[in-house]
Amino acid sequence: MKKTLPGLGVLVTSALVLTACGGLGTTTTDSAASSTDPVPELAPDQKVSIVFESYNYGMAGAWTDTFNALIDEFTKQNPNIHVTAQKPQGNSPNPATDTISSIQSQTVAGTPPDVAQLGFSDLDFTIHQLGAHSLDDLVGKASVQKNFDGAKYPYAPTARTLGDWEGSTYGVPFVFSTPVFYYNATLFEQAGLDPAAPPKTWDEVAAAASTITTKTGKGGVYLDCLTKTAKDWCFQSLVRSNGGRVIAEDRSSLTFADDPAVQVADMAQNLVQSGSTPKLSQQQGYEAFARGDVGMILETSAIQGTFVKGAKDKWDLRATTMPTFAGTTPVPTNSGASLFTFASDPAKQRASWELIKFLTSEEAYTKIAQGIGYLPLRTGLVDDPAGLKEWSQKNPLLAPNIAQLGSMEPWISMPGNNYLQIRDGMMDAVEAVVYQDADPKSTLEAAQKQAAALLPSE
């Protein structure tokens, strides 16, 4: 059945009227990927050109430099495959926010990228409306699992299935972090705190933040979890760590106005109202920490390179696992993205798979961890003298992320075509509570009621 595509002016956050076989692009039920036979290997002299879209290309410094080096190395190893790397179309300060609309527009025009890096919170929409191919169908489940097993080191068990849907692998998890609690040991010492004993609970964080602010005049703590720009991966972790969820396990109802989420928002509001957390945007927050103007920050390791550069020869940067709520065990969730393919030509599909395999190889993860700070999902590299052992010993900032990987739970995507409206409405409400003194309970309840109307009906 031929699909009807929305016009270019329609945003993914709009309420789209789609039939079961509608949406953007094709689904695996009517694409080349539906074949039971894997797409053939490329002939030795077969030339193929593919497009790789990644939001890392919209981020200056270590991100772009590292990815350029990876693509250069892939081209050397695969001279018959030409890769055009591009950032998402759009002008957002955070290029990751442009990815879905960028691919949507290109799909409408009939030219989606062959490989794309898409966030875990977009998983439902990426599969069911953008038409990402099942890699199990495309190259065979055995090939997909062989890649996860690796040439030498397998993926961490908690990472292998993050790009799966109903038992089939659509995306290969690529780069992500768990929430890492970075702190300025120099400010700790100036405030009379012991940098060898960082806070382990959020009550201890509040006390330490107050001390830092009082004794040094600097900001106490910044949680990069509480604005729409930050998305909801870290907020989900805070809520899960407090015994709650933002959406029911069966995905049929929203639960971000339940007590655990309200208590998280209230805790963060108290940090702002007490003066321990400065009122800053996401970018202002991590830049202030990098300058040494904030004592602690809960953040993705994607920003670790910025912190290392800011601290060098100026102050002592350290990291630990995320703090706990009283009587609970932390539940780290993951940030980041998987790699998907939207290619329709069999040769481009095979070339796309070769690129995905390379970008998730031991060689690539060594470069990514060293260059950016993301988790090496092949964790055995950390103990390999030929891999990351020497580097990780000199860079203890990686340890909290590795420690939290074993107990990690997935960043859950919101359902349906209005998933961005649901997610952003929730985070708008959280931001209003934390930074605008809105009442936690009633504000989240109002946002949840409005978002509930956007959930897909069965």
Side-chain angles (χ1 to χ4, degrees):
M1 178 175 178
K2 183 177 177 65
K3 297 186 188 299
T4 301
L5 300 179
L8 283 168
V10 179
L11 299 174
V12 292
T13 52
S14 300
L16 305 178
V17 180
L18 301 167
T19 64
C21 63
L24 293 169
T26 56
T27 64
T28 54
T29 58
D30 62 356
S31 69
S34 64
S35 171
T36 56
D37 298 322
V39 291
E41 299 276 353
L42 296 174
D45 60 348
Q46 188 174 3
K47 303 291 187 182
V48 183
S49 294
I50 58 174
V51 175
F52 170 46
E53 182 158 311
S54 166
Y55 55 77
N56 289 95
Y57 282 102
M59 303 169 73
W63 296 278
T64 297
D65 292 345
T66 301
F67 273 63
N68 280 339
L70 289 170
I71 296 302
D72 286 347
E73 182 59 33
F74 175 78
T75 301
K76 290 178 184 177
Q77 296 182 22
N78 300 270
N80 58 326
I81 301 175
H82 178 264
V83 179
T84 299
Q86 65 185 30
K87 70 175 184 177
Q89 300 171 1
N91 299 302
S92 299
N94 181 356
T97 62
D98 292 324
T99 304
I100 288 294
S101 60
S102 174
I103 293 178
Q104 182 183 25
S105 297
Q106 292 173 81
T107 301
V108 169
T111 56
D114 300 291
V115 178
Q117 178 182 342
L118 286 156
F120 292 103
S121 70
D122 305 313
L123 182 63
D124 190 330
F125 192 87
T126 296
I127 293 169
H128 298 113
Q129 300 307 328
L130 293 182
H133 296 308
S134 163
L135 294 171
D136 287 351
D137 291 345
L138 207 64
V139 299
K141 185 177 283 289
S143 293
V144 173
Q145 294 308 310
K146 182 180 179 181
N147 181 58
F148 282 130
D149 290 340
K152 193 173 182 180
Y153 298 111
Y155 260 51
T158 53
R160 293 175 75 123
T161 59
L162 293 175
D164 286 11
W165 196 272
E166 295 183 349
S168 184
T169 299
Y170 287 83
V172 178
F174 180 37
V175 289
F176 67 73
S177 173
T178 59
V180 178
F181 198 62
Y182 296 94
Y183 65 100
N184 185 327
T186 303
L187 280 183
F188 268 56
E189 290 176 344
Q190 292 173 1
L193 300 171
D194 182 1
K200 294 183 178 180
T201 69
W202 287 110
D203 286 341
E204 290 177 1
V205 169
S210 178
T211 299
I212 290 170
T213 300
T214 301
K215 297 285 185 65
T216 72
K218 304 283 189 177
V221 64
Y222 187 83
L223 310 185
D224 189 8
C225 306
L226 308 166
T227 65
K228 182 169 68 176
T229 308
K231 300 186 179 180
D232 65 330
W233 73 278
C234 183
F235 179 66
Q236 285 194 23
S237 183
L238 289 173
V239 175
R240 287 290 296 118
S241 297
N242 197 35
R245 298 179 182 274
V246 299
I247 185 171
E249 290 187 80
D250 65 5
R251 300 174 63 76
S252 65
S253 61
L254 300 171
T255 56
F256 64 79
D258 289 0
D259 286 345
V262 172
Q263 290 164 5
V264 167
D266 183 60
M267 178 271 288
Q269 184 188 69
N270 288 336
L271 289 172
V272 174
Q273 290 179 341
S274 69
S276 295
T277 291
K279 290 188 176 182
L280 301 172
S281 67
Q282 178 188 45
Q283 183 171 340
Q284 290 171 335
Y286 69 69
E287 288 179 346
F289 181 77
R291 288 194 307 269
D293 289 339
V294 174
M296 301 170 281
I297 189 169
L298 189 65
E299 185 59 89
T300 168
S301 64
I303 311 296
Q304 184 169 294
T306 301
F307 296 161
V308 171
K309 182 178 179 180
K312 187 176 181 180
D313 301 324
K314 298 175 184 175
W315 54 273
D316 184 3
L317 171 65
R318 301 188 192 181
T320 186
T321 52
M322 64 183 297
T324 68
F325 291 92
T328 65
T329 301
V331 181
T333 56
N334 60 282
S335 62
S338 292
L339 296 174
F340 300 86
T341 181
F342 299 91
S344 56
D345 175 76
K348 290 179 181 288
Q349 290 175 337
R350 174 55 66 174
S352 296
W353 175 238
E354 295 302 323
L355 178 61
I356 290 172
K357 286 195 298 181
F358 174 79
L359 290 174
T360 57
S361 66
E362 286 91 345
E363 178 181 2
Y365 274 123
T366 299
K367 289 182 170 68
I368 289 169
Q370 291 175 335
I372 300 175
Y374 275 123
L375 266 172
L377 301 188
R378 301 187 186 279
T379 52
L381 286 165
V382 175
D383 298 316
D384 185 349
L388 291 169
K389 183 175 183 178
E390 182 179 356
W391 178 83
S392 63
Q393 289 174 342
K394 294 179 180 178
N395 294 272
L397 299 174
L398 182 66
N401 234 340
I402 294 290
Q404 292 179 151
L405 191 55
S407 58
M408 183 191 75
E409 291 188 7
W411 177 12
I412 303 298
S413 64
M414 294 296 182
N417 301 315
N418 299 302
Y419 78 105
L420 288 177
Q421 281 181 287
I422 296 171
R423 185 193 74 194
D424 291 350
M426 174 179 71
M427 294 311 296
D428 276 336
V430 172
E431 188 171 348
V433 170
V434 176
Y435 292 107
Q436 299 165 27
D437 298 326
D439 177 72
K441 183 68 172 177
S442 62
T443 302
L444 289 175
E445 284 179 339
Q448 180 170 292
K449 182 178 180 181
Q450 186 173 17
L454 301 173
L455 289 171
S457 57
E458 295 297 331

